[in-house]
Amino acid sequence: MTTTQPARTPLGSLPPREHLRLGQIDTVLDVVIPVYNEESDLEPCVRRLHDHLSRTFPYGFRITVADNASTDRTPEISAALDEAIEEVTAVRLEEKGRGRALRTVWSLSEAPVLAYMDVDLSTDLNALLPLVAPLISGHSDLAIGSRLARSSRVVRGPKREFISRSYNLILRGSLAARFSDAQCGFKAVRGDVAERLLPMVEDSGWFFDTEMLVLAERAGLRIHEVPVDWVDDPDSTVHIVRTATEDLKGVWRVGRALATGALPLDRLARPFGDDPRDRDLTGVPRGLARQVMGFCVVGALSTLLYLGLYSLFRLGVGPQPANAAALLLSAIGNTAANRRLTFGVRGRERAVRHQAQGLVVFGIGLALTSGSLAALDAATGDPAHGTEMAVLVAANLAATLLRFLLFRAWVFTDRERDGGAAETGGGPVDAGTGGDRRCAAPDQHTAVPARLGRSAR
């Protein structure tokens, strides 16, 4: 079956989300089932899934069985299903790894919506259409089934329940993840998003899902969550201790990459304002709303840091030295945070100059706050600590607007921001040869058809 879809977009920020042009696409959904030595469950699973999709899914679909180097009869059963059912395609990989299988098949698939589920079909299939509907409509970029949602119904043992909830708490605490269930084997992603996202995902095993979701969330992509009914498979062959160890290593690796800015997340950014009415506004600087929000968040955190440092320094020195030291340290952190998070300037080039310009802005803030303290001291003689703090907060709020205007118009100009985007691969660079080690082709040690579909056999 031949699948057609709109041409892939060049690297750079993703285009606004759009409803898929379903009349022009033969195969809308490609559901991948990664398997390893599943000779007993594979055929019933595929036939049950095919029957469900044939009855309930209103668009063209394909089921791809991705065999992860099985050593039993799984390859023979996969090939037999490929021949017997038109919508089934079998793919053989010579190395194990669920992430490797998903990356390989999804990278070659031409379907605009890509999904996967575990072979045991623990998740109720009635959740499949709600899972992919937001991707078809253009509302969301990824979708996941959640066993931890309030309305989900889950049957599993206490050990797996404890492990699952502990793992998601670790993700929330270490990577600031906001999605609720990283490990549920029931996920989907738009094809245009997968094209950009998959080359950045390094893991080829069980951590693949988590890494993909964390990167997507950090890039600002929209993740839709679907409550599911889920029944644990008591015969699961997953090695819990080894999997947990690899997951923790992955958490550390991804956290370090995010902290050092090693990931070109600009390539996954969606433009602000998908509504054409937003894009047609005149007299409003591009990205102003996002920058104001980012500046406010950074400013609030910087103010808390400043007040904490001032209180600490005030224990040993007078108010003026304490204010100057606290403001200097918080200003350096504020400039670095605004440079990266608010105005999107990345890379080391011009970083020293930006800090020097930020210190000039710091000087203005120092003059305002120091002048306020001097005026308070002249008026009251010996003000209380609480009064000093209130005056300093008021002075910082007064300087905030001026600081933002100076940052936008002088420190981080449009030229600076555009240059920063170019440094991180925001321009039209080939994903396979762009120099980023995360932008690589699928694993070379796999035997797969050139294009997934009936003509690939």
Side-chain angles (χ1 to χ4, degrees):
M1 180 179 292
T2 302
T3 302
T4 60
Q5 65 171 354
R8 302 289 191 180
T9 55
L11 286 180
S13 62
L14 286 164
R17 303 180 190 91
E18 294 181 353
H19 194 293
L20 296 177
R21 301 182 181 93
L22 299 176
Q24 305 175 13
I25 304 173
D26 295 329
T27 302
V28 173
L29 174 66
D30 191 350
V31 183
V32 181
I33 303 177
V35 292
Y36 173 73
N37 289 348
E38 298 286 355
E39 60 181 4
S40 60
D41 294 336
L42 178 56
E43 183 171 359
C45 160
V46 171
R47 293 192 177 277
R48 178 183 164 198
L49 176 59
H50 180 265
D51 176 69
H52 177 84
L53 289 171
S54 299
R55 289 185 294 102
T56 65
F57 196 69
Y59 311 113
F61 66 88
R62 178 170 60 242
I63 300 171
T64 303
V65 180
D67 174 23
N68 290 264
S70 295
T71 57
D72 61 0
R73 294 184 57 252
T74 296
E76 302 171 23
I77 298 173
S78 301
L81 290 169
D82 185 300
E83 292 298 326
I85 305 176
E86 181 181 2
E87 292 83 8
V88 174
T89 298
V91 173
R92 167 74 175 181
L93 294 95
E94 299 302 330
E95 289 185 84
K96 292 177 61 178
R98 181 179 68 175
R100 176 178 289 106
L102 293 177
R103 180 189 292 109
T104 301
V105 176
W106 281 355
S107 297
L108 295 173
S109 178
E110 295 181 354
V113 177
L114 310 168
Y116 97 89
M117 61 181 61
D118 293 334
V119 68
D120 54 21
L121 297 186
S122 296
T123 304
D124 183 11
L125 293 178
N126 287 327
L128 182 55
L129 185 55
L131 182 79
V132 300
L135 309 186
I136 295 174
S137 70
H139 174 270
S140 301
D141 300 295
L142 299 92
I144 64 174
S146 175
R147 298 164 296 184
L148 303 181
R150 187 180 298 273
S151 57
S152 297
R153 296 186 299 176
V154 177
V155 178
R156 62 177 167 182
K159 182 174 71 173
R160 286 185 175 270
E161 180 76 11
F162 173 78
I163 292 174
S164 178
R165 291 188 178 274
S166 299
Y167 181 65
N168 284 283
L169 285 175
I170 291 173
L171 293 180
R172 288 177 177 270
S174 60
L175 299 178
R178 292 174 295 186
F179 48 84
S180 64
D181 191 352
Q183 292 179 312
C184 183
F186 194 69
K187 297 181 176 70
V189 58
R190 283 179 64 107
D192 56 347
V193 174
E195 183 186 25
R196 307 284 185 85
L197 181 57
L198 295 182
M200 300 183 192
V201 180
E202 289 190 14
D203 191 80
S204 60
W206 291 95
F207 187 69
F208 175 89
D209 306 51
T210 301
E211 185 171 358
M212 179 179 68
L213 291 173
V214 169
L215 298 186
E217 187 176 73
R218 287 299 186 96
L221 298 181
R222 183 173 293 156
I223 301 175
H224 178 72
E225 296 199 18
V226 178
V228 297
D229 298 338
W230 193 85
V231 179
D232 187 19
D233 178 15
D235 298 323
S236 174
T237 58
V238 177
H239 194 289
I240 295 178
V241 175
R242 182 171 64 244
T243 301
T245 302
E246 294 300 320
D247 285 346
L248 292 176
K249 291 179 180 178
V251 169
W252 168 256
R253 174 176 53 79
V254 172
R256 183 177 57 186
L258 291 172
T260 58
L263 296 166
L265 298 180
D266 291 34
R267 299 179 183 179
L268 304 175
R270 290 285 191 188
F272 173 76
D274 290 354
D275 192 318
R277 293 171 296 181
D278 297 333
R279 297 195 294 272
D280 292 338
L281 291 176
T282 58
V284 178
R286 184 179 62 183
L288 177 61
R290 180 185 178 278
Q291 290 175 1
V292 169
M293 180 170 293
F295 182 80
C296 289
V297 172
V298 172
L301 296 176
S302 298
T303 300
L304 293 176
L305 175 63
Y306 163 74
L307 294 175
L309 291 173
Y310 177 82
S311 298
L312 178 63
F313 295 151
R314 190 65 177 85
L315 298 176
V317 297
Q320 293 289 2
N323 173 63
L327 196 58
L328 175 61
L329 294 178
S330 61
I332 293 174
N334 180 278
T335 299
N338 276 307
R339 180 179 189 270
R340 175 67 185 272
L341 303 177
T342 303
F343 297 100
V345 179
R346 291 171 170 78
R348 297 180 180 180
E349 188 175 351
R350 299 185 296 276
V352 175
R353 193 187 76 183
H354 290 158
Q355 281 292 351
Q357 291 173 309
L359 289 178
V360 174
V361 179
F362 152 75
I364 297 174
L366 178 62
L368 286 173
T369 52
S370 297
S372 300
L373 283 175
L376 177 65
D377 186 66
T380 62
D382 187 19
H385 180 69
T387 305
E388 285 183 356
M389 297 293 285
V391 169
L392 288 173
V393 170
N396 272 283
L397 291 176
T400 297
L401 178 59
L402 180 59
R403 185 182 304 123
F404 176 76
L405 294 176
L406 288 173
F407 273 162
R408 183 178 175 86
W410 179 49
V411 183
F412 308 114
T413 62
D414 288 336
R415 180 173 56 83
E416 300 284 351
R417 295 193 291 273
D418 293 342
E423 290 169 8
T424 57
V429 181
D430 191 311
T433 60
D436 193 315
R437 63 189 179 91
R438 291 175 173 80
C439 297
D443 297 86
Q444 298 178 356
H445 302 288
T446 56
V448 297
R451 179 173 60 82
L452 295 180
R454 301 298 297 179
S455 60
R457 298 176 184 175

